[in-house]
Amino acid sequence: ALRLYREALHIRPSQWESSLRMGTLLMGREARSFEAEAALRYTLNLSTTRTGVDHCAPRTNLGVLLTERVFGREGGSVLTAAPATASRWAVEALAHFDAAMRAGRCNAARLNAGRLLRYASRGPPLQRGPEPDEFGLLGASPDALRAAAVKQYTAALEISLLEDDMETAQTAARNFAQLAPGGIGPSLTAQQHAVVGRAAVLEGDISGGKHHTTAALRLDPKSYAAHHTLGLLAERAGDLEESVVAYRTAVGLASVELQLNADHRTNNRPS
């Protein structure tokens, strides 16, 4: 694959898709990290002379690559580079994530910005550079960094639910639940509470699961997702009878919603 991408770029140097895919492919190989960086930067440089370049993927991937150089792939509490170098890479990574978000609804950038801020909250403080970072938070307290990460996960959750991207929504909800245990965090909609509530239960945070599920039902008593989590909570507590009732309620409400959606599509179909 790498050989074919290189040949494609040799034939047509302006083909940004090939350099993007080449950089993405090389990202997973630690020994070829700088080759990946070069390919991704080449892709971004093409955007200065060409329109239609996808900013989400190259900027997010470059930000991820720089994040992993600072913290390692697992996000440990020890910087993998000298503090000044680590700070420079982190500032640039945040700048790429911010630019990707500004270019469009790039939820991958939001998730990874949250990841970087979360990693930064665990270890030694990153030094502020001569220029402020895009989020103005490098060098801030761990609590401020975690709050900033929660904000990114909240935004990713909101947009992914609007786009019916449940995979991203679950990822954002899981990270939200981990950083805001027990239900502590910003206000959410009923749907967001329901998704985070389930994620919290699956993370073992029963208190957070109850908090978000109760909040979802308070805002929307017909939330089938919240009733499903009630069933999950009852099952975890060993109350199988109550869990069956909740699951049946969830199935009934989901069926009603599916029918309403089908009727809406039928009534709004062009004649």
Side-chain angles (χ1 to χ4, degrees), residues 16 44 47-48 50 52-60 96 99-100 103 106:
W16 63 268
L44 291 174
S47 67
T48 62
R50 292 178 60 83
V53 176
D54 173 17
H55 282 265
C56 178
R59 286 199 180 278
T60 300
H96 286 302
C106 186

Side-chain angles (χ1 to χ4, degrees), residues 61 70 86 90 93 115-116 143 171 178 196 201-202 205 211 215 231-232 254 263-264 271:
N61 287 350
V70 176
R115 177 183 175 221
L116 188 157
D143 285 345
T171 301
Q178 290 171 350
V196 174
V201 174
L202 294 177
D205 179 11
H211 167 84
L232 187 60
D263 292 343
H264 177 76
S271 56

Side-chain angles (χ1 to χ4, degrees), residues 96-261:
H96 286 302
F97 294 142
D98 185 65
M101 287 184 253
R102 292 176 185 276
R105 288 186 170 184
C106 186
N107 262 341
R110 287 182 176 83
L111 290 176
N112 281 289
R115 177 183 175 221
L116 188 157
L117 292 164
R118 183 178 186 176
Y119 287 174
S121 72
R122 295 176 179 172
L126 291 165
Q127 299 175 0
R128 290 185 183 275
E131 299 295 330
D133 64 270
E134 300 298 325
F135 294 77
L137 285 163
L138 292 182
S141 70
D143 285 345
L145 290 165
R146 282 191 289 270
V150 167
K151 183 178 179 180
Q152 292 304 315
Y153 292 133
T154 305
L157 176 62
E158 178 182 2
I159 293 172
S160 58
L161 287 174
L162 288 173
E163 296 178 344
D164 201 26
D165 178 3
M166 291 310 298
E167 182 178 355
T168 301
Q170 291 293 342
T171 301
R174 185 172 65 253
N175 282 283
F176 182 105
Q178 290 171 350
L179 284 175
I184 301 169
S187 59
L188 304 174
T189 66
Q191 187 182 20
Q192 291 166 0
H193 273 300
V195 176
V196 174
R198 175 176 170 76
V201 174
L202 294 177
E203 288 292 319
D205 179 11
I206 301 302
S207 174
K210 289 178 178 178
H211 167 84
H212 288 291
T213 302
T214 301
L217 289 170
R218 184 172 60 248
L219 295 169
D220 179 11
K222 294 183 178 181
S223 168
Y224 68 86
H227 280 282
H228 183 274
T229 303
L230 279 182
L232 187 60
L233 284 164
E235 186 177 350
R236 293 287 175 93
D239 191 339
L240 298 183
E241 184 176 345
E242 184 178 342
S243 72
V244 169
V245 171
Y247 286 143
R248 283 178 174 165
T249 302
V251 170
L253 291 170
S255 299
V256 170
E257 183 165 326
L258 286 171
Q259 186 59 54
L260 289 172
N261 290 338

